[in-house]
Amino acid sequence: MSSIIASLRSLVSSIIGLFASVIETVVGIFTSIIGAIVSGIEAVFGLFGTLGKDAFDLVSGLVGFLLGNIVIIGVLVAAFVGYTMYQQRQGKSVSGKKMA
């Protein structure tokens, strides 16, 4: 009789352990899913932060380039304007079409 009670005790203990393991597994799955969602949201915010920083760096580099080469750019613009005015005074178009 004591062996039947010991066996029943072991059976109940095993069933309780099974349910505890199933609940632990379900909680672990939900914890992993929530962690993945939070990680994804953090990654998106990090992406926008990096995008803003990189855009600022791009504009800063472009402005630095323009300010560093302002004399050369000014000379090229002046040469283009002068050439265009010269062509117009000669009765020609810069595009190659005859002016009316």
Side-chain angles (χ1 to χ4, degrees):
M1 189 70 153
S2 68
S3 64
I4 292 175
I5 293 174
S7 296
L8 286 176
R9 229 181 248 162
S10 178
L11 176 66
V12 170
S13 175
S14 296
I15 291 173
I16 290 173
L18 175 70
F19 283 128
S21 295
V22 167
I23 290 172
E24 185 178 336
T25 301
V26 169
V27 168
I29 289 172
F30 282 125
T31 303
S32 296
I33 290 172
I34 290 172
I37 291 171
V38 168
S39 176
I41 291 171
E42 288 176 351
V44 168
F45 284 127
L47 173 72
F48 284 123
T50 303
L51 181 66
K53 179 186 170 295
D54 290 345
F56 179 76
D57 288 344
L58 176 69
V59 170
S60 173
L62 182 63
V63 168
F65 171 78
L66 291 175
L67 290 177
N69 296 308
I70 193 76
V71 173
I72 295 171
I73 293 170
V75 168
L76 291 174
V77 168
F80 176 74
V81 169
Y83 176 73
T84 304
M85 290 174 64
Y86 172 75
Q87 289 288 43
Q88 286 177 348
R89 288 190 183 150
Q90 297 297 321
K92 299 177 185 174
S93 173
V94 178
S95 64
K97 298 179 182 175
K98 218 36 172 159
M99 294 180 66

